[in-house]
């Protein structure tokens, strides 16, 4: 019984996600679902994207948080259009929540829409929201074993940003071991080692994004 209920929920989600995807395609918007644990640096990454890509791409962000509008305020201050979804306790975004927030955006006036998912390394990976690509962050403070312990998000994502690499001298994290663990669960994943504090690695990530937006 329980299994079939879960299946039905996911099937309903997939239908709405498909409609979202068609809406994005009709309007020429490339959509990314950005996921990670809380505090890995999703919002800081968006601030950097606003600074470095804001002149080349028209970017909007849907901010998913359990509570508060803090992240929407931060990315708006970085020059990005921002819509906040407060999930009132839900620990991930689903396609229906994203669809309701699309009314607040002029999709035809956008090139890139980033859905910043609720900070959570588990269930956001189970729900597609209509995105063209999934990208995730894992900070070097979280430990190099995480791809093996929480494989689904790593398997579902096309890109992994290893964040906070400026902290590598101070934490016990073997970058090569971490990359190898990620490739064990997803051999094709693109990996970017970045620091939004020093700016290291961001150029590569931004070039990849520009390439993806040009060739959905
Ligand atoms: Mg955030
Ligand atoms: Zn959840």
């Amino acid at each position: 019984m329980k299994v079939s209920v879960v299946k039905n929920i996911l099937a309903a989600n997939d239908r709405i996600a498909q409609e979202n995807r068609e809406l994005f395609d009709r309007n020429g918007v490339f959509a990314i679902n950005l996921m990670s644990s809380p505090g890995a640096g999703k919002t800081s990454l968006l601030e950097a994207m606003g600074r470095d890509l804001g002149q080349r791409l028209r970017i909007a962000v849907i901010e998913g948080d359990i509570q508060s509008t803090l992240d929407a305020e931060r990315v708006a201050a970085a020059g990005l259009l921002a819509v906040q979804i407060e999930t009132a306790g839900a620990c991930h975004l689903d396609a229906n929540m994203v669809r309701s927030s699309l009314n607040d955006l002029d999709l035809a006036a956008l090139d890139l829409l980033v859905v910043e998912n609720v900070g959570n390394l588990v269930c956001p990976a189970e729900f597609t929201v209509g995105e063209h690509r999934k990208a995730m962050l894992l900070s070097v403070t979280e430990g190099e074993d995480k791809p093996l312990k929480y494989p689904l998000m790593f398997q579902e994502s096309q890109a992994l940003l290893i964040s906070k690499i400026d902290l590598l001298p101070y934490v016990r994290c073997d970058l090569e071991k971490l990359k190898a663990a990620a490739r064990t669960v997803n051999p094709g994943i693109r990996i970017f080692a970045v620091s939004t504090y020093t700016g290291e690695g961001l150029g590569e990530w931004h070039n990849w994004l520009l390439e993806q937006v040009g060739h959905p």
Side-chain angles (χ1 to χ4, degrees):
M1 277 304 269
K2 199 170 175 212
V3 169
S4 64
V5 169
V6 170
K7 265 190 190 156
N8 288 340
I9 290 170
L10 289 176
N13 185 74
D14 284 353
R15 265 198 309 280
I16 299 169
Q18 187 57 40
E19 291 167 13
N20 289 348
R21 173 67 176 268
E22 285 163 13
L23 199 58
F24 299 149
D25 288 339
R26 267 205 304 283
N27 287 282
V29 184
F30 188 82
I32 288 212
N33 186 352
L34 188 63
M35 305 175 290
S36 79
S37 312
K42 296 183 295 304
T43 311
S44 298
L45 184 72
L46 287 168
E47 289 173 322
M49 286 165 57
R51 280 194 304 271
D52 294 358
L53 296 174
Q55 303 297 321
R56 302 178 65 178
L57 295 176
R58 298 167 296 174
I59 306 172
V61 180
I62 295 176
E63 287 287 351
D65 283 291
I66 289 176
Q67 198 169 326
S68 89
T69 56
L70 295 168
D71 282 0
E73 289 159 23
R74 280 177 62 190
V75 301
L80 301 175
L81 278 170
V83 177
Q84 181 82 49
I85 301 176
E86 282 187 270
T87 64
C91 48
H92 59 267
L93 292 179
D94 63 26
N96 197 36
M97 295 181 213
V98 168
R99 178 167 70 180
S100 351
S101 69
L102 293 179
N103 299 326
D104 298 329
L105 289 169
D106 179 8
L107 288 178
L110 296 178
D111 302 306
L112 174 63
L113 175 66
V114 184
V115 178
E116 183 185 337
N117 219 307
V118 178
N120 178 344
L121 203 53
V122 186
C123 48
E126 294 171 16
F127 292 83
T128 174
V129 298
E131 70 279 349
H132 295 90
R133 300 284 186 279
K134 288 183 167 77
M136 68 170 294
L137 292 88
L138 186 81
S139 66
V140 296
T141 59
E142 291 173 79
E144 64 220 8
D145 56 351
K146 291 305 170 292
L148 304 176
K149 295 175 77 171
Y150 302 90
L152 185 64
M153 194 174 288
F154 295 85
Q155 285 161 349
E156 290 285 320
S157 297
Q158 285 78 43
L160 164 64
L161 294 113
I162 300 173
S163 60
K164 306 190 188 183
I165 56 168
D166 53 291
L167 296 179
L168 275 172
Y170 315 105
V171 294
R172 264 183 236 125
C173 174
D174 182 330
L175 199 54
E176 292 313 312
K177 246 190 206 167
L178 172 48
K179 289 180 184 175
R183 291 193 173 113
T184 299
V185 298
N186 181 353
I189 197 164
R190 281 291 306 263
I191 301 178
F192 303 90
V194 303
S195 163
T196 55
Y197 186 66
T198 65
E200 196 179 344
L202 289 177
E204 254 178 275
W205 158 247
H206 291 157
N207 285 338
W208 183 82
L209 260 183
L210 287 166
E211 211 174 278
Q212 303 299 308
V213 173
H215 308 279

